[in-house]
Amino acid sequence: MLWARLLAYVTGRVNQELLLRNEYLAAENRILRGKIKGRLLLSGGEKATLAEIAHRLGREALENVATTANPDTILGWYRKFIATKFDGSRFRRRAGRPRINEEIERLVMQMAKENPSWGYDRIVGALANLGFQLSDQTVGNILCRHGLSPALKENGPFPEKTLSVHTWKFWSERISSQWKSSP
């Protein structure tokens, strides 16, 4: 029976120490709360921590202890926390194609800026030499997203090179016949 008395003494001593710690922390919270003006803004992680402890503590004890927010609010945080934990959102993927790696996008932009005469196909070829597989459409989308236009064709901006030969011949004959017929 000596061990039972010893056990009761030790557990009573531990409980007494825990009660004193809780009383100290509650007093410290009251003092610090009095110094803070306005609303206390908590992050998502802080809300989750408080909600987890509040759930284990129970509503009755929480009404005596909670100073950060209303007990209903804190237990509401817990319900939201549990709902998001089990709603399967971790396993959901974004719709559509995955985005291009930032490193590849940066490389495309660097090549386009350093070589303004290169078109989409030339950039795709240079990337293929480096071991990256992209399509010319993807390179075009990346350049458009960053506000760069494609390089001009090798022909240049002159109409005789961009228009087909037949179209150019047709319009040049029309214009020259108009000049010849006018006085």
Side-chain angles (χ1 to χ4, degrees), residues 98-117:
R99 288 190 61 90
I100 299 297
N101 189 351
E102 288 182 25
E103 176 191 355
I104 295 174
E105 196 161 331
R106 185 185 48 75
L107 198 56
V108 167
M109 292 303 300
Q110 180 181 352
M111 285 182 177
K113 286 178 182 175
E114 290 176 359
N115 307 295
S117 64

Side-chain angles (χ1 to χ4, degrees), residues 75-100:
L75 292 173
W77 293 342
Y78 180 77
R79 287 190 299 275
K80 277 186 185 174
F81 171 65
I82 292 299
T84 55
K85 186 175 178 181
F86 294 109
D87 71 349
S89 59
R90 292 186 304 180
F91 305 110
R92 287 192 207 126
R93 293 185 179 178
R94 294 182 64 200
R97 270 184 93 113
R99 288 190 61 90
I100 299 297

Side-chain angles (χ1 to χ4, degrees), residues 128-163:
N129 289 337
L130 296 174
F132 298 109
Q133 295 296 321
L134 274 106
S135 70
D136 55 345
Q137 183 67 48
T138 303
V139 170
N141 291 339
I142 291 170
L143 293 179
C144 286
R145 201 170 31 242
H146 290 280
L148 287 179
S149 61
L152 292 173
K153 300 288 183 200
E154 283 186 27
N155 303 358
F158 303 109
E160 66 269 7
K161 290 186 178 177
T162 28
L163 295 175

Side-chain angles (χ1 to χ4, degrees), residues 155-169 171-172:
N155 303 358
F158 303 109
E160 66 269 7
K161 290 186 178 177
T162 28
L163 295 175
S164 71
V165 175
H166 300 293
T167 309
W168 180 251
K169 191 172 183 181
W171 284 109
S172 64

